[in-house]
mmCIF file of all heavy atoms in Angstrom:
data_model
loop_
_atom_site.group_PDB
_atom_site.id
_atom_site.type_symbol
_atom_site.label_atom_id
_atom_site.label_comp_id
_atom_site.label_asym_id
_atom_site.label_seq_id
_atom_site.Cartn_x
_atom_site.Cartn_y
_atom_site.Cartn_z
ATOM 1 N N GLU A 492 1.153 -13.317 -5.230
ATOM 2 C CA GLU A 492 -0.128 -13.307 -5.933
ATOM 3 C C GLU A 492 0.074 -13.171 -7.438
ATOM 4 O O GLU A 492 -0.650 -13.780 -8.232
ATOM 5 C CB GLU A 492 -0.994 -12.162 -5.400
ATOM 6 C CG GLU A 492 -1.420 -12.353 -3.958
ATOM 7 C CD GLU A 492 -2.259 -11.214 -3.429
ATOM 8 O OE1 GLU A 492 -1.697 -10.131 -3.172
ATOM 9 O OE2 GLU A 492 -3.487 -11.401 -3.258
ATOM 10 N N PHE A 493 1.057 -12.388 -7.809
ATOM 11 C CA PHE A 493 1.371 -12.224 -9.231
ATOM 12 C C PHE A 493 1.808 -13.560 -9.836
ATOM 13 O O PHE A 493 1.408 -13.932 -10.942
ATOM 14 C CB PHE A 493 2.462 -11.173 -9.390
ATOM 15 C CG PHE A 493 2.601 -10.629 -10.789
ATOM 16 C CD1 PHE A 493 1.584 -9.925 -11.392
ATOM 17 C CD2 PHE A 493 3.772 -10.823 -11.498
ATOM 18 C CE1 PHE A 493 1.716 -9.422 -12.675
ATOM 19 C CE2 PHE A 493 3.922 -10.326 -12.783
ATOM 20 C CZ PHE A 493 2.884 -9.623 -13.376
ATOM 21 N N ASN A 494 2.631 -14.309 -9.098
ATOM 22 C CA ASN A 494 3.041 -15.645 -9.541
ATOM 23 C C ASN A 494 1.828 -16.567 -9.684
ATOM 24 O O ASN A 494 1.731 -17.339 -10.647
ATOM 25 C CB ASN A 494 4.018 -16.263 -8.539
ATOM 26 C CG ASN A 494 5.421 -15.719 -8.672
ATOM 27 O OD1 ASN A 494 5.857 -15.372 -9.766
ATOM 28 N ND2 ASN A 494 6.137 -15.624 -7.575
ATOM 29 N N ALA A 495 0.921 -16.500 -8.709
ATOM 30 C CA ALA A 495 -0.263 -17.353 -8.758
ATOM 31 C C ALA A 495 -1.133 -17.010 -9.963
ATOM 32 O O ALA A 495 -1.699 -17.896 -10.620
ATOM 33 C CB ALA A 495 -1.060 -17.216 -7.466
ATOM 34 N N MET A 496 -1.246 -15.715 -10.277
ATOM 35 C CA MET A 496 -1.988 -15.305 -11.471
ATOM 36 C C MET A 496 -1.377 -15.904 -12.732
ATOM 37 O O MET A 496 -2.085 -16.399 -13.616
ATOM 38 C CB MET A 496 -1.970 -13.783 -11.602
ATOM 39 C CG MET A 496 -2.876 -13.031 -10.679
ATOM 40 S SD MET A 496 -2.799 -11.253 -11.021
ATOM 41 C CE MET A 496 -3.617 -11.190 -12.619
ATOM 42 N N ALA A 497 -0.047 -15.832 -12.797
ATOM 43 C CA ALA A 497 0.638 -16.353 -13.985
ATOM 44 C C ALA A 497 0.414 -17.855 -14.124
ATOM 45 O O ALA A 497 0.126 -18.359 -15.218
ATOM 46 C CB ALA A 497 2.125 -16.029 -13.914
ATOM 47 N N LEU A 498 0.535 -18.589 -13.020
ATOM 48 C CA LEU A 498 0.347 -20.040 -13.084
ATOM 49 C C LEU A 498 -1.110 -20.404 -13.368
ATOM 50 O O LEU A 498 -1.389 -21.410 -14.023
ATOM 51 C CB LEU A 498 0.811 -20.683 -11.779
ATOM 52 C CG LEU A 498 2.331 -20.699 -11.558
ATOM 53 C CD1 LEU A 498 2.672 -21.297 -10.205
ATOM 54 C CD2 LEU A 498 3.033 -21.479 -12.667
ATOM 55 N N ARG A 499 -2.038 -19.581 -12.873
ATOM 56 C CA ARG A 499 -3.453 -19.863 -13.129
ATOM 57 C C ARG A 499 -3.762 -19.853 -14.625
ATOM 58 O O ARG A 499 -4.701 -20.523 -15.085
ATOM 59 C CB ARG A 499 -4.331 -18.847 -12.397
ATOM 60 C CG ARG A 499 -5.779 -18.834 -12.843
ATOM 61 C CD ARG A 499 -6.670 -18.131 -11.847
ATOM 62 N NE ARG A 499 -7.239 -19.087 -10.906
ATOM 63 C CZ ARG A 499 -7.889 -18.747 -9.800
ATOM 64 N NH1 ARG A 499 -8.013 -17.480 -9.475
ATOM 65 N NH2 ARG A 499 -8.409 -19.669 -9.013
ATOM 66 N N SER A 500 -3.000 -19.105 -15.394
ATOM 67 C CA SER A 500 -3.253 -19.025 -16.834
ATOM 68 C C SER A 500 -2.825 -20.288 -17.574
ATOM 69 O O SER A 500 -3.147 -20.445 -18.747
ATOM 70 C CB SER A 500 -2.519 -17.813 -17.425
ATOM 71 O OG SER A 500 -1.115 -18.013 -17.397
ATOM 72 N N THR A 501 -2.100 -21.177 -16.906
ATOM 73 C CA THR A 501 -1.634 -22.404 -17.566
ATOM 74 C C THR A 501 -2.779 -23.421 -17.598
ATOM 75 O O THR A 501 -3.696 -23.373 -16.770
ATOM 76 C CB THR A 501 -0.416 -22.978 -16.842
ATOM 77 O OG1 THR A 501 -0.777 -23.383 -15.515
ATOM 78 C CG2 THR A 501 0.696 -21.929 -16.760
ATOM 79 N N PRO A 502 -2.753 -24.395 -18.512
ATOM 80 C CA PRO A 502 -3.951 -25.213 -18.781
ATOM 81 C C PRO A 502 -4.292 -26.254 -17.729
ATOM 82 O O PRO A 502 -5.432 -26.698 -17.666
ATOM 83 C CB PRO A 502 -3.621 -25.879 -20.124
ATOM 84 C CG PRO A 502 -2.139 -25.890 -20.197
ATOM 85 C CD PRO A 502 -1.688 -24.639 -19.506
ATOM 86 N N ARG A 503 -3.363 -26.695 -16.889
ATOM 87 C CA ARG A 503 -3.655 -27.784 -15.950
ATOM 88 C C ARG A 503 -3.407 -27.363 -14.508
ATOM 89 O O ARG A 503 -2.909 -28.136 -13.697
ATOM 90 C CB ARG A 503 -2.800 -29.010 -16.308
ATOM 91 C CG ARG A 503 -3.185 -29.656 -17.639
ATOM 92 C CD ARG A 503 -2.204 -30.712 -18.077
ATOM 93 N NE ARG A 503 -0.862 -30.151 -18.274
ATOM 94 C CZ ARG A 503 -0.472 -29.496 -19.360
ATOM 95 N NH1 ARG A 503 -1.321 -29.322 -20.357
ATOM 96 N NH2 ARG A 503 0.757 -29.013 -19.451
ATOM 97 N N CYS A 504 -3.759 -26.116 -14.193
ATOM 98 C CA CYS A 504 -3.479 -25.561 -12.867
ATOM 99 C C CYS A 504 -4.736 -25.532 -11.999
ATOM 100 O O CYS A 504 -5.815 -25.173 -12.454
ATOM 101 C CB CYS A 504 -2.910 -24.153 -12.997
ATOM 102 S SG CYS A 504 -2.607 -23.335 -11.425
ATOM 103 N N THR A 505 -4.567 -25.899 -10.730
ATOM 104 C CA THR A 505 -5.610 -25.792 -9.719
ATOM 105 C C THR A 505 -5.053 -24.965 -8.559
ATOM 106 O O THR A 505 -3.987 -25.271 -8.024
ATOM 107 C CB THR A 505 -6.041 -27.172 -9.198
ATOM 108 O OG1 THR A 505 -6.546 -27.955 -10.282
ATOM 109 C CG2 THR A 505 -7.116 -27.043 -8.128
ATOM 110 N N ILE A 506 -5.789 -23.909 -8.179
ATOM 111 C CA ILE A 506 -5.415 -23.105 -7.021
ATOM 112 C C ILE A 506 -6.135 -23.677 -5.801
ATOM 113 O O ILE A 506 -7.358 -23.786 -5.790
ATOM 114 C CB ILE A 506 -5.791 -21.622 -7.203
ATOM 115 C CG1 ILE A 506 -5.217 -21.076 -8.510
ATOM 116 C CG2 ILE A 506 -5.304 -20.806 -6.010
ATOM 117 C CD1 ILE A 506 -3.729 -20.917 -8.539
ATOM 118 N N LEU A 507 -5.371 -24.032 -4.774
ATOM 119 C CA LEU A 507 -5.917 -24.674 -3.580
ATOM 120 C C LEU A 507 -5.562 -23.844 -2.344
ATOM 121 O O LEU A 507 -4.407 -23.429 -2.182
ATOM 122 C CB LEU A 507 -5.348 -26.085 -3.436
ATOM 123 C CG LEU A 507 -5.565 -26.816 -2.110
ATOM 124 C CD1 LEU A 507 -7.053 -27.095 -1.883
ATOM 125 C CD2 LEU A 507 -4.766 -28.116 -2.070
ATOM 126 N N GLY A 508 -6.558 -23.601 -1.480
ATOM 127 C CA GLY A 508 -6.269 -22.895 -0.236
ATOM 128 C C GLY A 508 -7.359 -21.893 0.099
ATOM 129 O O GLY A 508 -8.551 -22.167 -0.066
ATOM 130 N N SER A 509 -6.950 -20.714 0.557
ATOM 131 C CA SER A 509 -7.901 -19.690 0.981
ATOM 132 C C SER A 509 -7.527 -18.343 0.371
ATOM 133 O O SER A 509 -6.459 -18.197 -0.233
ATOM 134 C CB SER A 509 -7.923 -19.597 2.510
ATOM 135 O OG SER A 509 -6.617 -19.427 3.024
ATOM 136 N N GLN A 510 -8.404 -17.366 0.544
ATOM 137 C CA GLN A 510 -8.233 -16.053 -0.070
ATOM 138 C C GLN A 510 -6.856 -15.461 0.254
ATOM 139 O O GLN A 510 -6.397 -15.486 1.384
ATOM 140 C CB GLN A 510 -9.323 -15.107 0.440
ATOM 141 C CG GLN A 510 -9.312 -13.727 -0.197
ATOM 142 C CD GLN A 510 -10.395 -12.823 0.395
ATOM 143 O OE1 GLN A 510 -10.669 -12.887 1.588
ATOM 144 N NE2 GLN A 510 -11.002 -12.013 -0.446
ATOM 145 N N THR A 511 -6.225 -14.916 -0.768
ATOM 146 C CA THR A 511 -4.896 -14.329 -0.592
ATOM 147 C C THR A 511 -5.004 -12.889 -0.098
ATOM 148 O O THR A 511 -6.088 -12.365 0.122
ATOM 149 C CB THR A 511 -4.105 -14.387 -1.912
ATOM 150 O OG1 THR A 511 -4.791 -13.601 -2.904
ATOM 151 C CG2 THR A 511 -3.988 -15.827 -2.409
ATOM 152 N N ALA A 512 -3.842 -12.240 0.073
ATOM 153 C CA ALA A 512 -3.776 -10.934 0.733
ATOM 154 C C ALA A 512 -4.424 -9.815 -0.066
ATOM 155 O O ALA A 512 -4.724 -8.753 0.478
ATOM 156 C CB ALA A 512 -2.321 -10.578 1.039
ATOM 157 N N GLY A 513 -4.636 -9.996 -1.365
ATOM 158 C CA GLY A 513 -5.371 -9.014 -2.161
ATOM 159 C C GLY A 513 -4.663 -7.697 -2.354
ATOM 160 O O GLY A 513 -5.287 -6.636 -2.310
ATOM 161 N N ALA A 514 -3.346 -7.746 -2.574
ATOM 162 C CA ALA A 514 -2.571 -6.516 -2.812
ATOM 163 C C ALA A 514 -1.484 -6.829 -3.823
ATOM 164 O O ALA A 514 -0.336 -7.080 -3.466
ATOM 165 C CB ALA A 514 -1.968 -5.989 -1.516
ATOM 166 N N ASP A 515 -1.858 -6.813 -5.081
ATOM 167 C CA ASP A 515 -0.914 -7.109 -6.147
ATOM 168 C C ASP A 515 -0.332 -5.791 -6.663
ATOM 169 O O ASP A 515 -0.846 -4.714 -6.373
ATOM 170 C CB ASP A 515 -1.639 -7.861 -7.271
ATOM 171 C CG ASP A 515 -0.720 -8.815 -8.004
ATOM 172 O OD1 ASP A 515 0.500 -8.606 -7.952
ATOM 173 O OD2 ASP A 515 -1.225 -9.755 -8.639
ATOM 174 N N GLY A 516 0.729 -5.871 -7.423
ATOM 175 C CA GLY A 516 1.292 -4.667 -8.023
ATOM 176 C C GLY A 516 2.449 -4.096 -7.235
ATOM 177 O O GLY A 516 2.611 -4.351 -6.037
ATOM 178 N N ASP A 517 3.269 -3.293 -7.906
ATOM 179 C CA ASP A 517 4.448 -2.716 -7.274
ATOM 180 C C ASP A 517 4.038 -1.668 -6.249
ATOM 181 O O ASP A 517 2.924 -1.148 -6.270
ATOM 182 C CB ASP A 517 5.371 -2.100 -8.332
ATOM 183 C CG ASP A 517 6.802 -2.064 -7.874
ATOM 184 O OD1 ASP A 517 7.315 -3.107 -7.455
ATOM 185 O OD2 ASP A 517 7.409 -0.986 -7.930
ATOM 186 N N VAL A 518 4.978 -1.338 -5.351
ATOM 187 C CA VAL A 518 4.676 -0.503 -4.195
ATOM 188 C C VAL A 518 5.206 0.913 -4.382
ATOM 189 O O VAL A 518 6.301 1.117 -4.899
ATOM 190 C CB VAL A 518 5.284 -1.131 -2.924
ATOM 191 C CG1 VAL A 518 5.122 -0.217 -1.729
ATOM 192 C CG2 VAL A 518 4.628 -2.477 -2.647
#
Side-chain angles (χ1 to χ4, degrees):
E492 293 179 286
F493 197 64
N494 282 328
M496 284 183 70
L498 288 177
R499 166 163 267 169
S500 69
T501 64
R503 292 171 299 279
C504 177
T505 300
I506 307 290
L507 168 65
S509 53
Q510 184 182 37
T511 62
D515 211 338
D517 206 52
V518 174

